[in-house]
Amino acid sequence: MPRFIDFLRSDAMWQAQYRDQSLNARKCRAVLARLIQQTESQTFDPNKLQIICTYTPLQALLAYFWASQTGMLAAVVSPRGLAKLIEGLAVETIGQLWVPKGHRLPLEHLPMSVCRIDLSFDDVADAPIPTAAAHAARLVFCTSGTTG
């Protein structure tokens, strides 16, 4: 079964666009390499839900690649859906909340630790595909309930 990380081969030719930004496999590889380097000292419990709060569709795409790469149990959620997600979970099942640098926290009182990550992809150099985790990621898909 293909994983998100499988779309980052050096011959991948896809491109994702949102407003005036575009993302491709080369940029994703570079961001992933940087993320892995920045977060390798921050261990996470693979049995706890890592919540990645993203503010744009391209950040969400990067978050799915990162979760796939690291073998996380992860939910990628918008700031609007964060409270609803947390409300439905037992506190002991939640790991960290990962929030992109440069954004305010979506909630004031959070039952988990907050880690800042750099999801920027302007001016990034190419990097090899980082070694993937030995186990597959488990992704939780959720919406804020406003998508119909």
Side-chain angles (χ1 to χ4, degrees):
M1 171 179 260
R3 300 180 300 175
F4 275 92
I5 198 69
D6 295 330
F7 292 98
L8 296 182
R9 297 180 323 270
S10 59
D11 62 343
M13 299 300 294
W14 60 267
Q15 180 171 310
Q17 291 186 300
Y18 177 70
R19 296 188 179 163
D20 62 342
Q21 295 183 316
S22 66
L23 185 63
N24 58 29
R26 181 189 64 78
K27 288 181 178 181
C28 278
R29 286 191 302 270
V31 172
L32 273 180
R34 185 181 62 216
L35 272 173
I36 302 280
Q37 183 180 30
Q38 290 173 348
T39 60
E40 63 189 353
S41 65
Q42 299 173 335
T43 58
F44 58 87
D45 183 336
N47 296 312
K48 289 194 175 191
L49 183 66
Q50 305 301 312
I51 301 173
I52 308 169
C53 185
T54 60
Y55 292 77
T56 70
L58 296 181
Q59 285 182 347
L61 183 60
L62 285 167
Y64 286 122
F65 277 114
W66 182 46
S68 178
Q69 176 66 32
T70 56
M72 283 182 182
L73 167 59
V76 178
V77 64
S78 73
R80 289 178 34 185
L82 182 62
K84 190 76 164 169
L85 175 67
I86 293 172
E87 178 184 297
L89 297 171
V91 174
E92 61 273 7
T93 65
I94 302 173
Q96 289 98 325
L97 172 66
W98 303 86
V99 180
K101 291 178 179 178
H103 291 277
R104 290 182 34 196
L105 290 178
L107 300 172
E108 288 185 29
H109 304 288
L110 296 164
M112 77 287 280
S113 62
V114 176
C115 300
R116 295 289 184 164
I117 53 175
D118 185 358
L119 292 179
S120 64
F121 50 88
D122 296 330
D123 301 324
V124 291
D126 198 4
I129 300 172
T131 304
H135 55 282
R138 296 165 291 158
L139 303 174
V140 176
F141 292 88
C142 51
T143 70
S144 62
T146 60
T147 56

